[in-house]
Amino acid sequence: MEGRSRRRLLRLSKLYTFVTCGRARPEEGQGQIGGPGFSRVVFANDPDCFEATNLDYVSNYVSTTKYTLATFLPKSLFEQFRRVANMYFLVAGCLAFTPLAPYTAVSAILPLIVVIGATMLKEAIEDWRRYQQDIEVNNRKVKVHQGEGKFSDTEWKNLRVGDIVKVEKDEFFPADLILLSSSYEDAICYVETMNLDGETNLKLKQSLEVTAGLQTDTDFSGFKAIIKCEDPNANLYTFVGTMENEDQEYSLAPQQLLLRDSKLRNTDYIYGAVVFTGHDTKVMQNATSPPSKRSKVERKLDRIIYLLLSFLVLISFIGSVFFGISTKKDSRRDNRWYLKPDDSDIYFDPDRAASAAVLHFLTAMMLYGYFIPISLYVSIEIVKILQSIFINQDIQMYHEESDKPAHARTSNLNEELGQVDTILSDKTGTLTCNSMEFIKCSIAGTAYGHGVTEVERAMARRKGALLVDQPDTEQIIEGNHVVAKPSVKGFNFSDERIMNGNWINEPRSDVIHKFLRLLAICHTVIPEVDEVTRKISYEAESPDEASFVVAARELGFEFYQRTQSSISLHELDPLSGKLIDRSYTLLNILEFSSSRKRMSVIVRDEEGKLLLFSKGADSVMFERLAKDGREFEQSTREQINEYADAGLRTLVLAYRELDEEEYMEFNKKFTAAKNSVSADREEKIEEAADMIERNLILLGATAVEDKLQNGVPECIDKLAQAGIKIWVLTGDKMETAINIGFACSLLRQGMIQIIITLESPEILQLEKDGDKEAILKASKESVIRQIHEGKKLLGSSNTDSFALIIDGKSLGYALEDDVKNMFLELAMGCASVICCRSSPKQKALVTRLVKAGTRKVTLAIGDGANDVGMLQEADIGIGISGAEGMQAVMSSDVAIAQFRFLERLLLVHGHWCYRRISSMICYFFYKNITFGVTLFLYEAYASFSGKTAYNDWFLSLYNVIFTSLPVIALGVFDQDVSARFCLKFPMLYQEGVQNVLFSWSRILGWMFLGLCNANIIFFFCISAMQHQAFRRGGQVVGLEILGAVMYTCVVWVVNCQMALYITYFTLIQHIFIWGSIAVWYLFLVVYGAIPPSISTTAYLVFIEGLAPAPSYWIATLFVVTAAVIPYFTYSAIQMRFFPMYHNMIQWIRYEGKAEDPDYCHMIRQRSVRPTTVGVSARLDVKLSVASAQTLLPSRSAALARGQNKHAKGEQLARTDSVKGVVQHRSFVSVV
């Protein structure tokens, strides 16, 4: 309490750029208020007044559900019947109530109800969960002013526009509020916006000065104000409005706006006026659904359905034509006289044969509907959900340090994970840790810091040298023991020249003093003191900021307190050598932005001097130096380049002293710009800041390291071996990005770099001249010329590997409509692509270009809010749950904690999911064509009479009961190879990229197999049963017996076919396959025992007809054996002589050669393309160089080894022949 009381006495009227908002001048933009888009009026603390009740604003009740109780049935039914297959079955079900139907209406409608009902139930459960979350949020409590200075708890949903609320520490804001006051005297508060933009840093807000004195509940008893502001919109970072209080009008800005779902931090309480409620709040205005993504397999599935519907129409038309001809012939007395054509209705009337044919067409359309698998969609949804659960539960993708598992946020794209052709990755926080460490610096032209970065180690390895770290930990004495000083997060600096206060002995100690003081002052960090240990921790907007403040502390300048108007340091005095307390009055902070690329603070020291401290990118800082402030420019530039080569992120530090007159002029212009509510407010602020940030004196530069995440080089190596192309899109300098590329094995020694940049002397000279039109024309021509030169270089060599590196300026021109195709053609010919200085918009545009240009699956991976556009634009978005908040994760399709988990996600789960879904769909069509063609053949056999071969319920339960579970088990459990082999042989992944398992040839092959099986089943059963005595009394079979025999054979054949196809049996699959057959027999017994009025042709058919007849069992055995022989023969020949890549790996496992390195290497070499990226590529290059040096001896030795190995046994020789044939497989030849 004492600390808080002390804080309350201090004022912070000018802490941040946008903090101070005094009265706005009427001429500066208030004309917008009341106009279109700025018509909202809020009666603060008077929501019950007559004017307020007439405004009819929305309530604060928020609903995120997709349905309501009233709309669930119509909306969900509409969603289901948007699918053409479901619409077809609905029409067929309706026609089943007419005399045209070849089966009973109940048997047609019930399966459709089951399938649609199951999907609707899933939708209802998901929406119910959303509803429960809505209830929890809407019923949260907040204190609301009830009048006479009394506040009481009210549920969020009951808030109204104009209510005054009191929000306490660590509570969420219940609506969009105008900040009126807080527990701080100057009415500031700290806000966490992670739920809005994913950023974890705290943001500072401050109310108008006119309301800052409302410090207690009773102060609001007589408070009244009218707020006029913009209408509800989705922009989180802008707000324009005015507050009228006591006949005075004050301007409002984003600094006074507290957004719903933000959290109050480091502040005891705030008071606020509700301006936007419910779905008018900015967070709900932003709650748009993410872009709808459908996998390529799913889109192809739609085309297959259309193909089958076309086939269905065709055979129905053919059958109708034949039926019409046959019916017309019945007019002759000697033709089918037993059908009594003279006494027939329209369906068989020879005099109305054309009408009969049309009606038969409708009957056939219903009868042949079993070509379309009714349970396909619901089965796929079930399988994908179960696959997602397996991904979420994979312990190998669980990050223990952050306690974050993998999370498949959508199950729609599981199979797409197995078809990725190009990965577009962010760098900072994705490939690197986004955990910055201060490691080196340049002060007064002298380089300090002895640390060795990972990039430097990689560079040394490229040159064949070895770097040894110098000790980076100090030793301290505890008792009689010498122990290492504990490491400090964010600080990995080691240099005795300036550590432990030794900097005071350096030649330019005065510059070092200013440098360290700048580090300790020029920031927006918030210190927090642990009440128990009294240790200071820092809340920073970025890891860079935190590392600078920590470095200043470790080097003798400890920032320990920020108040409303000052920054306090424990500062090492160079004269006395002791720590002293110094306080600096904080006047202005000119914040960092991506366009400014710098930040500055203006302070007044204890001697009254006005100081401007500035830090920023070298590209903007050097041009702002004064003529007499460039003493160390040349050496600093050289050291910055060295730091960039070492993969470090650099900032230039500079300062200047201001005179009072200059500052007053700036502050007047700056304050006017801040108070403006016009559209060009930001431009005015930038203009004012630019005026003061000139004539700086250079102090030096900082260098921080963003270390690679664990396993990144190995992961990139595996992905490269899998044939996946990797692009890196980063905002870093080109030198830094290139060296990070070497460190993570994306680039390697000997790779030819095609660099496209606009840093040529000609372009730089034009920029100095300032002729914008000439700059644009020359820049575009330069980019086009460099692209053409790169394409020529690319075409000049078939053996070299290339890397394309392009900077942000050049990328802007390369993405223009008339250039982008040339750029893409060049990029796709390179093994690696690195885009430097890329903006978030450019990242999204590059992703769109690759996706549209290649028409292959693209995957984007990132961790920050600046990666959201890229993630949503790609076919698959992967969010890294890292240090930059959760916005990337919230916009992603799959979330993982580390980049290295991408290897297992794609090569294992992606490959399995693609194979399972592809095989599952192919099998679905196979089993339905097998079943449907038997119906067609029987109808043809019965003169296209529209008569079905099977009992109505046999038809209905085929897809729902007797063949549904085995195919689901296939989609969930089957594996062609284990996870270990997926990672050991990454090129297996190319089966998905090349779409080998779901190509049209494979789909039509499965359909052809179904056609063959149907013919075998029908003609063998007809031949076995026709004109043969079936029972002891000599009776021949009837329709009910023939139908049951054929159906038994169909159930056996399709389930045995499943058993032949599966490569990884589990107990569940055995139960489902053989259990489905057993359920068929059980159904025959139970259904046959039901009275014949219900069971019709199935009455006692098994007990009395089939079971006692040996011919039934013999025919079943013979037909099933004959039907599975074609696939068994094809599979054996293909596996033995024409194996696919997964077949070869299965041979390795079968023959026990999995641990034989020579054997495995031989399989890889015969089956994959050369790898040009990754650790393996480096090894291959080294081996090729070594072999070239000893060419003849190596060849002789290789031949000798090959002959010896060939002589060891027939088994290995056989495998050699297999591999020789495999080289001609289509997908292998491509890769």
Side-chain angles (χ1 to χ4, degrees):
M1 289 298 293
E2 181 182 350
R4 197 189 84 188
S5 299
R6 185 172 64 251
R7 288 200 303 271
R8 287 169 61 105
L9 296 174
L10 300 168
R11 302 187 63 80
L12 178 55
S13 58
K14 297 179 181 177
L15 175 59
Y16 278 89
T17 306
F18 309 115
V19 168
T20 306
C21 289
R23 293 180 57 186
R25 300 176 182 176
E27 67 269 15
E28 291 197 21
Q30 289 190 19
Q32 295 183 86
I33 303 301
F38 298 88
S39 62
R40 196 173 188 86
V41 180
V42 177
F43 296 88
N45 209 22
D46 196 13
D48 294 317
C49 69
F50 176 76
E51 295 90 342
T53 55
N54 287 336
L55 292 172
D56 195 28
Y57 293 135
V58 299
S59 72
N60 201 41
Y61 182 87
V62 167
S63 174
T64 61
T65 58
K66 187 176 179 180
Y67 308 103
T68 65
L69 195 62
T71 62
F72 173 73
L73 199 60
K75 284 184 70 174
S76 58
L77 285 174
F78 174 75
E79 289 290 332
Q80 295 308 311
F81 290 113
R82 287 172 64 185
R83 289 172 169 167
V84 63
N86 289 344
M87 193 64 197
Y88 164 77
F89 286 116
L90 176 65
V91 173
C94 294
L95 290 175
F97 288 93
T98 68
L100 293 171
Y103 38 64
T104 61
V106 176
S107 65
I109 288 295
L110 189 60
L112 180 64
I113 292 174
V114 170
V115 171
I116 297 297
T119 307
M120 289 175 63
L121 179 63
K122 169 181 168 287
E123 290 280 322
I125 292 173
E126 290 178 351
D127 216 47
W128 175 258
R129 289 173 181 166
R130 288 190 285 265
Y131 175 68
Q132 296 286 16
Q133 292 173 351
D134 291 343
I135 289 178
E136 188 274 325
V137 170
N138 288 313
N139 290 336
R140 289 176 182 171
K141 299 293 182 66
V142 66
K143 289 182 171 62
V144 179
H145 186 230
Q146 304 295 345
E148 299 180 357
K150 295 180 181 178
F151 284 74
S152 62
D153 286 336
T154 302
E155 294 175 339
W156 281 22
K157 63 184 178 184
N158 296 326
L159 285 182
R160 296 167 298 170
V161 173
D163 277 335
I164 305 296
V165 299
K166 182 180 182 180
V167 181
E168 297 181 336
K169 185 177 180 180
D170 294 330
E171 290 183 349
F172 290 98
F173 300 124
D176 287 354
L177 313 175
I178 292 297
L179 176 62
L180 299 176
S181 61
S182 76
S183 56
Y184 293 96
E185 184 178 310
D186 269 10
I188 65 163
C189 69
Y190 298 102
V191 176
E192 181 184 85
T193 59
M194 188 174 71
N195 286 348
L196 276 67
D197 55 18
E199 295 181 7
T200 55
N201 59 287
L202 300 185
K203 295 177 175 61
L204 187 139
K205 303 283 186 176
Q206 185 181 32
S207 78
L208 299 178
E209 291 185 14
V210 68
T211 61
L214 302 171
Q215 291 284 313
T216 63
D217 292 358
T218 55
D219 291 339
F220 286 90
S221 57
F223 173 75
K224 291 285 191 301
I226 298 176
I227 299 171
K228 299 178 181 179
C229 64
E230 64 188 21
D231 294 335
N233 61 76
N235 198 321
L236 296 173
Y237 307 108
T238 63
F239 180 76
V240 176
T242 62
M243 177 187 287
E244 185 179 323
N245 179 252
E246 297 179 353
D247 298 327
Q248 297 290 331
E249 197 170 68
Y250 304 86
S251 65
L252 296 171
Q255 195 62 32
Q256 285 80 52
L257 186 66
L258 305 175
L259 300 180
R260 179 189 173 111
D261 282 348
S262 301
K263 181 185 283 189
L264 183 65
R265 295 285 303 276
N266 292 4
T267 310
D268 293 338
Y269 61 86
I270 64 98
Y271 293 99
V274 177
V275 287
F276 297 122
T277 53
H279 288 274
D280 284 348
T281 59
K282 288 183 179 286
V283 66
M284 294 308 297
Q285 292 280 311
N286 277 276
T288 55
S289 300
S292 177
K293 296 182 180 180
R294 298 184 69 207
S295 70
K296 293 186 182 299
V297 169
E298 191 174 347
R299 290 195 289 268
K300 195 169 188 176
L301 173 60
D302 290 343
R303 294 196 292 271
I304 298 172
I305 294 290
Y306 287 122
L307 175 66
L308 287 178
L309 282 172
S310 302
F311 179 68
L312 191 155
V313 171
L314 177 63
I315 62 173
S316 298
F317 176 76
I318 293 172
S320 301
V321 170
F322 278 99
F323 177 76
I325 294 172
S326 299
T327 303
K328 187 69 174 178
K329 290 181 179 178
D330 287 341
S331 59
R332 302 200 308 266
R333 297 288 181 178
D334 58 341
N335 188 60
R336 300 201 303 185
W337 53 269
Y338 48 87
L339 295 178
K340 299 182 179 180
D342 295 337
D343 191 27
S344 63
D345 53 25
I346 187 174
Y347 301 109
F348 298 96
D349 188 350
D351 296 329
R352 292 183 287 178
S355 299
V358 173
L359 294 175
H360 178 272
F361 177 79
L362 297 176
T363 301
M365 285 290 292
M366 288 186 282
L367 178 62
Y368 301 149
Y370 294 95
F371 281 107
I372 312 297
I374 189 172
S375 60
L376 174 59
Y377 287 113
V378 69
S379 298
I380 289 177
E381 287 188 10
I382 292 171
V383 164
K384 286 186 175 182
I385 290 172
L386 294 174
Q387 288 176 348
S388 298
I389 292 173
F390 285 164
I391 291 174
N392 298 344
Q393 298 295 323
D394 190 343
I395 194 67
Q396 300 295 327
M397 293 194 293
Y398 169 72
H399 190 234
E400 189 172 359
E401 294 177 16
S402 60
D403 189 31
K404 290 176 181 175
H407 181 206
R409 293 170 51 80
T410 176
S411 60
N412 294 338
L413 305 172
N414 291 355
E415 66 273 23
E416 204 95 313
L417 290 170
Q419 298 180 279
V420 175
D421 178 73
T422 305
I423 294 174
L424 300 105
S425 174
D426 176 40
K427 184 188 78 67
T428 304
T430 303
L431 299 177
T432 59
C433 299
N434 198 23
S435 177
M436 308 300 177
E437 289 187 339
F438 187 93
I439 189 170
K440 294 182 180 183
C441 63
S442 169
I443 309 175
T446 303
Y448 294 98
H450 301 310
V452 178
T453 67
E454 292 186 17
V455 171
E456 287 176 312
R457 294 189 186 95
M459 292 170 66
R461 287 194 296 268
R462 278 157 42 203
K463 298 173 182 177
L466 180 65
L467 281 181
V468 180
D469 281 310
Q470 296 190 18
D472 58 357
T473 58
E474 299 178 50
Q475 293 183 335
I476 57 176
I477 299 175
E478 291 186 1
N480 297 324
H481 301 283
V482 178
V483 297
K485 185 177 180 180
S487 61
V488 179
K489 183 180 180 182
F491 186 74
N492 188 23
F493 182 86
S494 176
D495 195 323
E496 287 301 320
R497 290 177 295 173
I498 61 172
M499 294 184 70
N500 301 318
N502 294 335
W503 59 267
I504 62 177
N505 301 318
E506 285 293 290
R508 298 306 303 266
S509 60
D510 58 327
V511 180
I512 299 175
H513 181 270
K514 294 182 178 72
F515 181 94
L516 297 177
R517 185 168 57 176
L518 189 153
L519 285 182
I521 293 176
C522 185
H523 55 75
T524 57
V525 175
I526 301 167
E528 290 186 344
V529 181
D530 189 289
E531 295 181 0
V532 178
T533 64
R534 306 306 300 171
K535 290 184 178 180
I536 299 175
S537 59
Y538 299 113
E539 286 276 356
E541 291 191 9
S542 69
D544 306 64
E545 289 265 82
S547 69
F548 295 147
V549 178
V550 169
R553 182 188 66 192
E554 295 299 312
L555 295 174
F557 287 70
E558 182 181 36
F559 162 58
Y560 69 91
Q561 187 179 42
R562 165 171 255 129
T563 68
Q564 285 91 329
S565 58
S566 68
I567 284 181
S568 300
L569 310 179
H570 295 310
E571 207 175 281
L572 182 63
D573 182 26
L575 298 177
S576 64
K578 296 180 180 179
L579 288 177
I580 59 173
D581 289 346
R582 282 191 182 274
S583 181
Y584 297 85
T585 303
L586 189 58
L587 301 177
N588 303 90
I589 292 184
L590 313 180
E591 292 181 323
F592 177 88
S593 71
S594 57
S595 59
R596 283 169 41 79
K597 297 183 180 179
R598 63 190 183 278
M599 77 159 291
S600 302
V601 298
I602 300 175
V603 298
R604 189 187 299 274
D605 66 12
E606 293 177 346
E607 288 77 34
K609 292 180 182 178
L610 283 170
L611 300 171
L612 181 143
F613 294 121
S614 186
K615 64 184 180 186
D618 58 289
S619 59
V620 297
M621 291 296 289
F622 282 126
E623 66 186 26
R624 297 177 179 276
L625 297 179
K627 289 184 179 180
D628 58 351
R630 299 176 179 268
E631 182 181 353
F632 323 114
E633 180 181 5
Q634 185 59 36
S635 54
T636 303
R637 281 183 182 273
E638 293 173 358
Q639 285 150 10
I640 285 177
N641 291 334
E642 291 177 6
Y643 295 153
D645 289 341
L648 299 174
R649 295 160 65 101
T650 59
L651 284 180
V652 173
L653 276 57
Y655 86 106
R656 65 173 292 203
E657 289 189 19
L658 306 175
D659 58 54
E660 291 290 341
E661 183 179 348
E662 182 183 14
Y663 174 71
M664 294 303 295
E665 182 184 352
F666 155 77
N667 197 45
K668 181 180 179 181
K669 185 174 182 179
F670 189 61
T671 302
K674 287 189 300 180
N675 290 339
S676 170
V677 290
S678 58
D680 59 348
R681 180 176 184 269
E682 298 299 327
E683 288 77 6
K684 290 180 178 179
I685 292 175
E686 170 62 25
E687 183 181 343
D690 186 66
M691 179 181 74
I692 200 74
E693 293 172 320
R694 295 283 179 180
N695 301 317
L696 303 176
I697 298 173
L698 178 65
L699 295 176
T702 60
V704 296
E705 180 184 18
D706 188 6
K707 290 191 173 182
L708 287 175
Q709 292 183 11
N710 291 334
V712 166
E714 293 78 8
C715 176
I716 288 178
D717 181 47
K718 287 287 187 184
L719 297 175
Q721 289 184 54
I724 301 174
K725 292 179 278 293
I726 303 171
W727 293 33
V728 173
L729 312 177
T730 177
D732 281 338
K733 292 178 61 176
M734 182 176 289
E735 295 82 1
T736 304
I738 289 174
N739 286 297
I740 290 292
F742 277 111
C744 66
S745 297
L746 198 60
L747 305 176
R748 62 172 173 79
Q749 191 77 357
M751 181 179 280
I752 300 174
Q753 296 179 12
I754 301 174
I755 298 178
I756 300 177
T757 181
L758 291 176
E759 298 296 325
S760 64
E762 296 81 6
I763 302 296
L764 294 176
Q765 184 59 47
L766 285 174
E767 290 179 350
K768 288 182 180 179
D769 296 340
D771 187 346
K772 292 186 177 180
E773 291 186 5
I775 292 171
L776 293 175
K777 183 179 178 181
S779 297
K780 186 171 182 177
E781 290 175 352
S782 176
V783 169
I784 293 174
R785 187 186 71 254
Q786 292 178 72
I787 290 175
H788 283 304
E789 290 173 354
K791 290 173 66 175
K792 288 180 182 178
L793 188 62
L794 205 63
S796 65
S797 174
N798 294 323
T799 57
D800 293 319
S801 57
F802 296 85
L804 174 64
I805 300 110
I806 183 170
D807 63 17
K809 288 182 181 179
S810 306
L811 187 60
Y813 295 101
L815 292 175
E816 292 185 2
D817 291 341
D818 56 338
V819 185
K820 62 183 181 181
N821 290 329
M822 290 187 293
F823 168 67
L824 180 63
E825 186 179 347
L826 171 63
M828 296 312 297
C830 296
S832 302
V833 180
I834 299 177
C835 301
C836 314
R837 298 290 196 188
S838 304
S839 67
K841 183 178 180 180
Q842 285 179 330
K843 290 182 178 183
L845 290 175
V846 168
T847 306
R848 181 186 301 174
L849 174 64
V850 176
K851 181 175 72 172
T854 63
R855 295 187 178 180
K856 293 186 178 181
V857 178
T858 56
L859 180 147
I861 179 168
D863 73 316
N866 61 332
D867 300 318
V868 169
M870 177 174 70
L871 300 185
Q872 293 186 339
E873 192 65 50
D875 292 300
I876 308 170
I878 306 291
I880 299 285
S881 47
E884 291 196 18
M886 298 295 289
Q887 189 162 351
V889 169
M890 291 186 290
S891 303
S892 67
D893 302 304
V894 183
I896 55 178
Q898 295 274 288
F899 182 88
R900 69 177 186 271
F901 296 147
L902 193 62
E903 174 187 342
R904 186 172 180 87
L905 180 67
L906 298 187
L907 302 189
V908 178
H909 290 285
H911 172 72
W912 283 348
C913 290
Y914 165 73
R915 174 183 170 79
R916 290 165 176 170
I917 294 293
S918 301
S919 301
M920 174 185 175
I921 294 174
C922 288
Y923 178 80
F924 246 110
F925 290 121
Y926 154 76
K927 72 184 183 67
N928 276 66
I929 285 177
T930 301
F931 186 62
V933 170
T934 59
L935 290 171
F936 173 76
L937 293 174
Y938 180 80
E939 206 216 1
Y941 183 76
S943 192
F944 291 101
S945 60
K947 184 64 178 175
T948 176
Y950 307 123
N951 181 278
D952 294 350
W953 286 103
F954 292 3
L955 294 170
S956 300
L957 299 181
Y958 177 76
N959 279 310
V960 178
I961 301 294
F962 304 128
T963 61
S964 60
L965 293 180
V967 74
I968 291 176
L970 170 71
V972 175
F973 298 108
D974 194 37
Q975 299 176 12
D976 53 352
V977 298
S978 65
R980 184 167 69 93
F981 282 99
C982 285
L983 297 174
K984 191 169 186 175
F985 298 94
M987 206 58 196
L988 178 64
Y989 188 80
Q990 277 293 313
E991 289 189 343
V993 178
Q994 303 294 331
N995 203 18
V996 173
L997 303 181
F998 202 60
S999 62
W1000 279 109
S1001 59
R1002 192 173 180 86
I1003 295 167
L1004 295 175
W1006 275 97
M1007 291 181 175
F1008 179 73
L1009 179 63
L1011 184 65
C1012 293
N1013 283 176
N1015 278 276
I1016 291 171
I1017 291 170
F1018 177 77
F1019 288 109
F1020 279 27
C1021 286
I1022 288 292
S1023 300
M1025 298 297 174
Q1026 191 179 28
H1027 310 311
Q1028 301 293 327
F1030 184 74
R1031 301 186 182 180
R1032 292 180 181 178
Q1035 299 94 330
V1036 295
V1037 299
L1039 172 61
E1040 69 283 359
I1041 296 293
L1042 178 63
V1045 172
M1046 287 173 56
Y1047 198 93
T1048 300
C1049 293
V1050 169
V1051 171
W1052 266 99
V1053 167
V1054 298
N1055 280 287
C1056 288
Q1057 186 68 55
M1058 170 68 74
L1060 279 176
Y1061 180 76
I1062 287 175
T1063 57
Y1064 181 77
F1065 266 104
T1066 64
L1067 178 62
I1068 293 176
Q1069 285 165 307
H1070 278 295
I1071 292 173
F1072 283 178
I1073 291 174
W1074 313 121
S1076 295
I1077 297 173
V1079 167
W1080 157 242
Y1081 287 112
L1082 181 63
F1083 173 79
L1084 269 180
V1085 173
V1086 174
Y1087 184 56
I1090 298 174
S1093 58
I1094 298 175
S1095 60
T1096 61
T1097 59
Y1099 180 66
L1100 297 178
V1101 70
F1102 184 74
I1103 298 297
E1104 293 186 357
L1106 300 178
S1111 58
Y1112 165 71
W1113 302 102
I1114 295 171
T1116 301
L1117 177 62
F1118 181 78
V1119 171
V1120 171
T1121 303
V1124 299
I1125 282 177
Y1127 178 79
F1128 181 82
T1129 303
Y1130 166 81
S1131 180
I1133 293 173
Q1134 189 251 347
M1135 181 77 170
R1136 178 64 181 81
F1137 298 106
F1138 310 100
M1140 300 174 69
Y1141 194 44
H1142 69 270
N1143 297 137
M1144 297 176 62
I1145 299 172
Q1146 290 168 348
W1147 272 111
I1148 291 176
R1149 182 181 61 185
Y1150 173 74
E1151 295 183 351
K1153 298 289 187 178
E1155 304 305 324
D1156 185 338
D1158 292 336
Y1159 196 90
C1160 293
H1161 181 69
M1162 186 165 48
I1163 293 292
R1164 289 194 191 98
Q1165 293 299 105
R1166 295 291 182 90
S1167 308
V1168 305
R1169 64 181 176 187
T1171 304
T1172 57
V1173 173
V1175 178
S1176 299
R1178 292 182 176 179
L1179 293 175
D1180 291 342
V1181 170
K1182 288 182 179 179
L1183 290 173
S1184 64
V1185 170
S1187 62
Q1189 293 173 348
T1190 56
L1191 184 59
L1192 292 176
S1194 297
R1195 283 186 175 177
S1196 303
L1199 287 172
R1201 285 197 301 271
Q1203 291 172 356
N1204 290 337
K1205 286 188 177 181
H1206 185 76
K1208 284 183 179 179
E1210 180 184 355
Q1211 188 179 49
L1212 187 56
R1214 183 181 69 243
T1215 309
D1216 279 337
S1217 67
V1218 168
K1219 294 196 295 285
V1221 176
V1222 158
Q1223 288 181 328
H1224 299 287
R1225 294 292 300 169
S1226 61
F1227 93 92
V1228 173
S1229 65
V1230 172
V1231 301

